[in-house]
Amino acid sequence: MIYRSIETLRRAIATRRAEGDRIGLVPTMGALHEGHISLVQEAEKTCQHVIVSIFVNPRQFNSQTDLAHYPRTEADDIALLDGRCSLFIPSVETMYPSGYCTSVQTGGLAERLEGAHRPGHFDGMATVVTKLLTITGPDQAFFGEKDWQQLQIVRRIVQDLNLPVDIVACPTLREPDGLALSSRNRRLSHSAREIAPKLHTIMQDTALAIRTGMETDAALAAGKEAFAHAGFGPVDYLECCHAETLEPARPGSAPLRLLAAAFLGSVRLIDNIVI
């Protein structure tokens, strides 16, 4: 079933809740791929009514060009899901009607990494995620680990705003060559697609160097140099951080996560792995 109005969706959810069903939400911006399907599959394990939202949220884009070029494939998305769950596909006017003036502001976790390079991005993300959680009232919401910083911020939003939902993290799905699945991958040229898996390979090498005793700053510097030699640039960041606080790693701190963002032509790729 496809829902485009908030009121109709809420009535359907209320009916399912009255029948005792658990509600699961998978928020997306469309251009669905197997990574999104894996989130749906995870949701189906514990929820009888799964809702996939498809909404390209203009408030989390820093560049109007990037917003204009973001892939929109609604017909293909509907076909890929093949009726296995409910779809919520609101318009911009539905989510942000005339006179809308409220936003969720993020700090702390949102100030570094992506936040430093994309000012305002996480406020836009936090606003739309909070709206989707309050519109659907799910028991569980499912997010991929590929957007690791986003995942930690969503967890903080739920904690700080006392939202009654369980945030479920799902592993990053990758192509056989290691490239993390992403809607943006379809914008890569043929030559860029051949280079793109090196992002993950270099990150693995960097993580191994840190694990086996190389000084962290030296390992990160070598990783950035390897990115440049492979054809990436500019490199926004390659950082070793505490996995939960996202603060720079300190001696003895754990668990650790390696996070990276780099351009390949006009496409900006992000990834993260466990150290």
Side-chain angles (χ1 to χ4, degrees), residues 219-253:
L220 296 175
K224 291 176 183 176
E225 185 176 350
F227 280 155
H229 287 163
F232 294 92
V235 177
D236 279 352
Y237 57 82
L238 175 65
E239 291 200 31
C240 176
C241 302
H242 187 281
E244 297 172 0
T245 68
L246 302 181
E247 292 296 323
R250 297 182 176 86
S253 63

Side-chain angles (χ1 to χ4, degrees), residues 29-58:
M29 291 208 299
L32 303 183
H33 50 67
E34 289 303 316
H36 296 110
I37 297 303
S38 72
L39 301 182
V40 174
Q41 291 170 337
E42 191 64 27
E44 289 173 333
K45 293 178 183 178
T46 54
C47 300
Q48 293 75 43
H49 187 201
V50 178
I51 302 160
V52 174
S53 65
I54 296 176
F55 179 63
V56 180
N57 177 34

Side-chain angles (χ1 to χ4, degrees), residues 70-119:
Y70 194 87
R72 293 163 172 81
T73 58
E74 182 178 309
D76 290 341
D77 295 344
I78 293 170
L80 181 62
L81 289 169
D82 195 26
R84 68 186 300 165
C85 55
S86 293
L87 283 169
F88 178 45
I89 312 179
S91 66
V92 173
E93 292 73 23
T94 295
M95 295 298 283
Y96 304 118
S98 176
Y100 187 94
C101 61
T102 301
S103 66
V104 177
Q105 292 186 315
T106 56
L109 289 167
E111 294 173 353
R112 303 185 62 254
L113 303 168
E114 289 294 288
H117 292 275
R118 302 178 66 188

Side-chain angles (χ1 to χ4, degrees), residues 27 106 109 122 125-126 129-130 133 141 143 147-160 163 165 167-168:
T106 56
L109 289 167
F122 283 128
M125 179 279 294
V129 167
T130 301
L133 292 176
F143 291 82
D147 295 294
W148 183 261
Q149 187 175 12
Q150 172 180 279
L151 172 63
Q152 304 315 307
I153 292 169
V154 169
R155 284 172 165 163
R156 173 55 62 180
I157 291 168
V158 167
Q159 179 177 330
D160 288 353
L163 301 178
V165 56
I167 301 301
V168 180

